[in-house]
Amino acid sequence: MNLFSDAVLWLNDPFNWTRPDGVLDLLRQHLGISALAVLAAMVVGLPIGALLGHLGRGGGFTVALSNVARAVPTLALLTVFAVTPIGFGPTATTIALAVFAVPPVLTNAYVGFRGVDRDVVEAARAMGMTGRQVLLRAELPLATPLVMTGIRTAAVQVVATATLAALVAGGGLGRIITLGFRQQDYGAVLAGALLVAALALLTEGVLAAASWALAPGAKRLPRRSAMAAAVPVPAPD
């Protein structure tokens, strides 16, 4: 209980938010690293997954590449980069996180495009659409929910894992945790962990809403009409 109280006190101190290298500065760094990593993963994973899914080929390659990328620990990549010209810093962290984010983006893009009903594809071709038009106008809208799921999964994983950037002078909210351990300020450690968890949950919520908005079909919230529920239905005579 004392540890939680220390974390609350740390979070309620305005100085911890507004000072140089405070929460607001570190949050901007964290979001910048995470956004660049996810964008890089999308640039690599989406075109490959969409093309292979459209052609209906390369399933084994997609699975193998995703498994290999998942098997490489992010911290191990950061260690390898330390002895290369990449070195420490935000660049090394962004590359390592991008590698970590590729598998869900690539796999979901492939599955989304591969799972489009072949009758829809054949109907689009019968209408005279080219292969590119079939990909963008017929398959992409139907594959969007799975594609967005892959992006959302990658983004949440990256936001949570970007705390490792603090270990290689990369900035981000992880610096609150590492500094707290060095100073034996475990209230700050818990506060940093809570901030990262809250940011990951917020990322999940925002991207889930974006996925719902971009998905094809009518957009209706699952709710009852209070007016309809209040009006009594007359009994038959």
Side-chain angles (χ1 to χ4, degrees):
M1 190 64 182
N2 290 334
L3 181 61
F4 184 77
S5 300
D6 291 342
V8 172
L9 289 174
W10 193 96
L11 291 171
N12 283 332
D13 187 347
F15 179 73
N16 290 328
W17 290 78
T18 57
R19 63 182 171 83
D21 284 339
V23 173
L24 296 180
D25 282 348
L26 297 177
L27 178 62
R28 282 192 289 268
Q29 296 172 16
H30 200 103
L31 290 175
I33 293 171
S34 301
L36 284 176
V38 174
L39 287 175
M42 290 171 60
V43 169
V44 174
L46 287 182
I48 297 175
L51 180 60
L52 294 178
H54 171 71
L55 297 176
R57 302 173 183 174
F61 166 77
T62 303
V63 172
L65 182 60
S66 297
N67 288 340
V68 169
R70 284 192 178 102
V72 179
T74 305
L75 188 58
L77 276 179
L78 293 174
T79 304
V80 171
F81 291 156
V83 296
T84 66
I86 297 176
F88 289 125
T91 301
T93 305
T94 302
I95 296 174
L97 291 174
V99 172
F100 181 61
V102 165
V105 173
L106 174 62
T107 302
N108 280 58
Y110 173 80
V111 172
F113 281 87
R114 186 72 181 88
V116 174
D117 192 338
R118 292 298 98 185
D119 291 339
V120 174
V121 176
E122 293 302 325
R125 288 173 177 164
M127 293 172 61
M129 288 188 181
T130 63
R132 181 177 180 181
Q133 289 174 329
V134 170
L135 177 68
L136 296 178
R137 296 185 182 181
E139 293 180 329
L140 178 58
L142 297 177
T144 295
L146 271 177
V147 171
M148 287 300 299
T149 298
I151 294 173
R152 187 171 78 244
T153 302
V156 173
Q157 290 178 348
V158 166
V159 166
T161 311
T163 53
L164 294 176
L167 300 177
V168 291
L173 294 174
R175 291 188 60 183
I176 299 173
I177 299 173
T178 56
L179 183 61
F181 275 119
R182 285 200 299 268
Q183 296 178 343
Q184 297 186 352
D185 184 356
Y186 298 112
V189 172
L190 180 57
L194 291 174
L195 288 171
V196 174
L199 183 59
L201 291 174
L202 180 61
T203 302
E204 170 75 19
V206 170
L207 291 181
S211 178
W212 176 81
L214 293 174
K219 304 295 187 298
R220 292 183 179 179
L221 296 176
R223 63 180 182 180
R224 291 184 58 192
S225 173
M227 182 178 296
V231 176
V233 178
D237 294 333

